[in-house]
Amino acid sequence: MPLEFGMVTPALLIIPLVHYIGNRAAHPRAKNILRAVVLASAGLLWAATLPIARATITTPLSLAIFTVRAL
């Protein structure tokens, strides 16, 4: 299986999942599950940001670019 296909498959599987769950999304338990998934995803993205930033900012030039861009 090529890498590109492996990355697209989860994205394509969300379409029937949204169709199936779409009608049931008003249920409070479904809302809580979706909220938990979104918060967990945001937490994982935030946790991955720090190591990536530490690996990227290694020279004074990259630090200056980061500082200017952060302002």
Side-chain angles (χ1 to χ4, degrees):
M1 173 186 307
L3 180 62
E4 295 84 15
F5 183 72
M7 300 294 283
V8 172
T9 303
L12 291 177
L13 292 176
I14 197 70
I15 296 169
L17 183 63
V18 167
H19 179 72
Y20 177 74
I21 294 183
N23 298 331
R24 295 159 184 81
H27 193 278
R29 189 174 293 167
K31 284 184 180 181
N32 288 337
I33 290 171
L34 290 173
R35 187 175 296 132
V37 169
V38 168
L39 288 175
S41 299
L44 287 172
L45 287 170
W46 183 77
T49 301
L50 293 176
I52 292 170
R54 285 190 189 119
T56 303
I57 302 172
T58 56
T59 65
L61 177 62
S62 62
L63 179 60
I65 293 170
F66 171 76
T67 305
V68 169
R69 186 66 186 152
L71 297 175

